[in-house]
């Protein structure tokens, strides 16, 4: 992975992280990517009984996971990898950008409390910028691509139609590059990646790139925001 300003790789190095933390303490908090106000999808998946699943990729999984852990109606949001094989679903390998994986978040939600369409609206609005090709903010490579891995034909149909709707409405200055495809497999990431935003709120990468996403969720989707996150360790215990 390329070493670059505010990148996750460089900030995981302890010495660099300490120096960056001091710099960020003196700088105002600022979102690397601004949220975009967008309309809800014109069509949605009908509410059904039982927990539903969709896997979303939009850059570093720390921030995407954090957003959906603060989304009411989501019963779990787990960071992991999709798009490659089980054999190379490891952070060190995925980070090379050669495994076919995308950093992803498995979102399980209660359709009686939040719709699939609302999940997509939050994903496109505050969780990431869907117009960035094979990158997101400071991170670049195919592992940071924008993608929706669906678990039903109805989910895929709604996602495809929503992208056409948003592009037609020109709510973004550039076309959406998000790829939509059926989920083949999801592999949970290492335990140290889970609940990362909640456990490390003062980490410079989180403070600069991801905490503003939570504030945008609270501001733009107040009815869907929950203050207490649904953490992986709480669900698994």
């Amino acid at each position: 992975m390329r070493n670059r300003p505010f990148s996750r790789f460089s900030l995981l190095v302890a010495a660099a992280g300490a120096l960056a933390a001091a710099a960020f303490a003196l700088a105002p908090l600022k979102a690397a990517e601004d949220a975009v106000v967008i309309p809800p999808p014109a069509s949605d998946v009908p509410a059904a009984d039982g927990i539903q699943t969709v896997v979303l990729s939009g850059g570093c999984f720390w921030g995407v996971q954090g957003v959906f852990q603060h989304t009411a109606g989501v019963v779990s949001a787990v960071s992991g990898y999709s798009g490659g094989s089980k054999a190379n679903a490891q952070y060190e390998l995925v980070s090379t950008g050669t495994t076919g994986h995308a950093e992803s978040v498995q979102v399980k939600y209660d359709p009686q409390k939040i719709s699939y369409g609302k999940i997509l609206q939050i994903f496109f609005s505050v969780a990431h910028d869907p117009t960035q090709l094979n990158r997101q903010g400071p991170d670049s490579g195919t592992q940071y691509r924008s993608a929706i891995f669906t678990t039903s034909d109805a989910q895929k149909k709604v996602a495809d139609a929503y992208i056409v709707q948003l592009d037609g409405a020109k709510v973004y200055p550039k076309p959406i590059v998000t790829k939509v495809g059926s989920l083949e497999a999801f592999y949970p990431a290492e335990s140290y990646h889970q609940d990362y935003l909640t456990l490390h709120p003062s980490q410079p990468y989180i403070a600069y790139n991801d905490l503003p996403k939570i504030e945008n969720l609270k501001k733009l989707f107040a009815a869907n925001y929950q203050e207490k996150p649904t953490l992986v360790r709480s669900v698994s215990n």
Side-chain angles (χ1 to χ4, degrees), residues 38-41 116-126 162 221:
I38 62 175
Y116 172 70
K118 183 61 67 174
I119 294 284
L120 293 186
Q121 188 181 13
I122 291 171
F123 175 63
F124 283 124
S125 175
V126 304
Y162 195 27
F221 297 92

Side-chain angles (χ1 to χ4, degrees), residues 4 8 30 39 57 75 80 119 133 138 162 178 186-187 191 209:
R4 53 198 172 275
R8 190 161 37 146
K30 175 180 177 293
S57 303
V75 299
I119 294 284
L133 180 63
Y162 195 27
T178 307
F186 173 82
Y187 307 103
S191 60
N209 294 289

Side-chain angles (χ1 to χ4, degrees), residues 43-64:
S43 61
D44 205 341
V45 175
D49 294 329
I51 302 305
Q52 303 297 307
T53 302
V54 64
V55 173
L56 304 171
S57 303
C60 171
F61 43 30
W62 294 343
V64 178

Side-chain angles (χ1 to χ4, degrees), residues 35-237:
V36 178
V37 177
I38 62 175
S43 61
D44 205 341
V45 175
D49 294 329
I51 302 305
Q52 303 297 307
T53 302
V54 64
V55 173
L56 304 171
S57 303
C60 171
F61 43 30
W62 294 343
V64 178
Q65 182 190 49
V67 165
F68 287 104
Q69 287 183 324
H70 279 280
T71 300
V74 170
V75 299
S76 76
V78 178
S79 290
Y81 313 107
S82 290
S85 71
K86 182 178 181 180
N88 54 23
Q90 305 168 35
Y91 180 67
E92 291 77 9
L93 297 177
V94 173
S95 294
T96 66
T98 61
T99 67
H101 286 290
E103 289 199 11
S104 306
V105 176
Q106 181 191 64
V107 177
K108 291 182 177 291
Y109 64 97
D110 183 345
Q112 299 297 327
K113 297 180 179 179
I114 187 170
S115 73
Y116 172 70
K118 183 61 67 174
I119 294 284
L120 293 186
Q121 188 181 13
I122 291 171
F123 175 63
F124 283 124
S125 175
V126 304
H128 83 309
D129 178 353
T131 70
Q132 294 197 28
L133 180 63
N134 294 333
R135 68 171 299 117
Q136 200 65 208
D139 300 312
S140 63
T142 57
Q143 68 272 31
Y144 298 114
R145 65 188 182 272
S146 176
I148 300 170
F149 296 94
T150 60
T151 57
S152 71
D153 291 340
Q155 281 190 356
K156 186 178 187 307
K157 182 177 179 180
V158 168
D160 284 335
Y162 195 27
I163 291 173
V164 172
Q165 175 190 340
L166 293 177
D167 275 340
K170 299 187 183 303
V171 295
Y172 302 101
K174 297 183 293 183
I176 292 172
V177 298
T178 307
K179 299 297 183 183
V180 181
S182 299
L183 176 67
E184 295 184 2
F186 173 82
Y187 307 103
E190 296 80 356
S191 60
Y192 64 87
H193 285 301
Q194 307 300 340
D195 306 329
Y196 198 91
L197 181 146
T198 298
L199 296 175
H200 305 281
S202 60
Q203 203 261 30
Y205 181 98
I206 294 294
Y208 186 83
N209 294 289
D210 294 334
L211 288 185
K213 297 178 181 181
I214 308 303
E215 290 304 310
N216 287 331
L217 174 69
K218 184 176 182 179
K219 179 181 178 181
L220 298 182
F221 297 92
N224 305 104
Y225 173 79
Q226 61 182 20
E227 186 69 29
K228 183 178 180 181
T230 302
L231 303 180
V232 172
R233 59 187 58 203
S234 298
V235 174
S236 59
N237 288 342

